Amino acid sequence: MATQPKTLDDLFLDTLKDIYYAEKQILKTLPKMAKAASSPELKKAFETHRDETETHVERLSEVFDVIGKAPRGKTCDAILGIIEEGKSIMEEFEGSPALDAGLVAAAQAVEHYEMARYGTLKAWAQQLGHKDAVKLLDQTLSEEKKTDQLLSQLGTGEANKQAA
Ligand SMILES: [Fe+2]
Ligand SMILES: [Fe+2]
């Protein structure tokens, strides 16, 4: 039997596994970022988003359910790299007035990665006719965008000035 060419369904499942893995890594990282942040607002933002991230993992389980698959992650080198860069900032800028600006930047790289993934998955779910999945992915996408905007505000509002 010849191997079947892979389809958009396969791509959708692979990418779902990628972001599922990524979200779980992010869930572990956000408390460390909250602990490292010096401004109370930034701390709060990381804590709030940690709670949201828990919901993101749950929603992804529901998306797996929609397509009749068990939730499973697949190592995502991109998020590991982004998180690693964030760790370096925490270490190298500890005690520096530029620390929060660096944390905001690291967190925005995470959010943009998530926005890219959820935007793609939402479009593919639409294409594949998984309406319930579209709704779930869109809810999370909105929260990632809101978080990104809040981080922009916190960055331009205080962290960058303090850093300069
Ligand atoms: Fe997320
Ligand atoms: Fe996020």
Side-chain angles (χ1 to χ4, degrees):
M1 199 181 94
T3 17
Q4 293 281 342
K6 290 206 175 224
T7 62
L8 187 60
D9 292 285
D10 299 312
L11 206 47
F12 184 78
L13 178 59
D14 266 8
T15 308
L16 201 57
K17 288 178 178 172
D18 172 288
I19 192 67
Y20 187 70
Y21 177 91
E23 288 282 20
K24 288 191 158 187
Q25 294 297 316
I26 296 164
L27 193 57
K28 284 197 279 184
T29 305
L30 280 166
K32 294 175 194 163
M33 295 181 80
K35 204 174 155 212
S38 46
S39 114
E41 290 84 5
L42 187 57
K43 253 184 212 302
K44 179 86 202 313
F46 288 146
E47 282 162 4
T48 304
H49 198 51
R50 195 221 74 97
D51 294 347
E52 285 176 343
T53 299
E54 220 164 40
T55 308
H56 299 173
V57 174
E58 281 162 25
R59 283 197 195 114
L60 286 173
S61 302
E62 291 179 51
V63 176
F64 276 104
D65 206 48
V66 168
I67 59 167
K69 303 276 180 193
R72 189 168 294 169
K74 180 184 174 188
T75 305
C76 166
D77 292 322
I79 201 69
L80 291 177
I82 292 170
I83 289 173
E84 202 48 50
E85 283 188 1
K87 265 187 207 151
S88 305
I89 288 171
M90 283 189 249
E91 285 163 19
E92 289 165 26
F93 287 83
E94 200 186 343
S96 151
L99 174 67
D100 279 2
L103 289 174
V104 167
Q108 284 193 291
V110 172
E111 294 314 308
H112 282 237
Y113 182 73
E114 291 182 292
M115 282 154 59
R117 283 305 187 225
Y118 281 106
T120 296
L121 282 166
K122 184 187 156 188
W124 288 345
Q126 247 149 5
Q127 180 64 41
L128 294 166
H130 299 310
K131 281 198 187 131
D132 292 342
V134 172
K135 225 172 108 188
L136 291 160
L137 294 164
D138 187 58
Q139 280 173 327
T140 298
L141 179 59
S142 303
E143 286 172 9
E144 311 294 16
K145 283 183 182 166
K146 248 181 37 206
T147 301
D148 179 53
Q149 281 162 7
L150 174 63
L151 288 166
S152 286
Q153 279 169 25
L154 291 174
T156 51
E158 202 193 331
N160 293 354
K161 267 176 228 150
Q162 200 190 322

